[in-house]
Amino acid sequence: MKINLKQLFSIPGESKDIDYGIGSEELADIKGVKFNSPVSVKGRIYNKAGIVHLVCTLDAELLVTCDRCLKKMIRSYHFDCDHIVVPSVSGNNDEYIVADGESIDLNEIAVTDLLLDLPTKILCKDDCKGLCVICGCDLNESVCEHQTEVF
């Protein structure tokens, strides 16, 4: 979703509310992540004292696999995002969102924030025992003869 910020950049106190979903057709292009439903994006873009802020919350439901026992599950995630948007910047830009031609692509910003905030290790439960390294049985659900062996 592209939003033109020309009016926001020029009028202090101006704001726009954000409330929409990023559909599954756009999310299908993302490699390595499977979404169970559209990503909900809610928030505001506002000009406070000449500085344009983007503040939003992201809610997503992902189909994930436990990194220890390989169990498939659905996980809900909620993230808060806060950015400063500038019309241009000189040099390297790691701190600001730069508006390309006075507009920004909210979908790109939201999906990038979501992917960066996802945990690197996903477990079905904190004390997941994983799989037996010898026979592959799920140690959360059964006991095997290899559990007593010392590796």
Side-chain angles (χ1 to χ4, degrees), residues 122-140:
I122 297 172
L123 301 178
C124 60
K125 55 187 179 180
D126 289 338
D127 62 343
C128 177
K129 296 175 185 174
L131 302 176
C132 174
V133 294
I134 297 174
C135 68
C137 78
D138 186 343
L139 299 175
N140 296 309

Side-chain angles (χ1 to χ4, degrees), residues 32 48 71 79 81 87 94-95 116-117 121 127:
K48 182 176 181 182
K71 186 179 294 183
F79 300 110
C81 305
D94 289 336
E95 297 181 32
L116 289 173
D117 286 338
K121 187 171 200 99
D127 62 343

Side-chain angles (χ1 to χ4, degrees), residues 94-107:
D94 289 336
E95 297 181 32
Y96 307 109
I97 304 269
V98 179
D100 181 31
E102 296 183 332
S103 45
I104 57 173
D105 185 350
L106 279 176
N107 290 3

Side-chain angles (χ1 to χ4, degrees), residues 67-83:
D67 287 326
R68 287 189 188 153
C69 70
L70 305 178
K71 186 179 294 183
K72 304 260 187 235
M73 61 198 149
I74 296 174
R75 279 278 163 87
S76 296
Y77 294 97
H78 174 87
F79 300 110
D80 295 318
C81 305
D82 191 356
H83 299 285

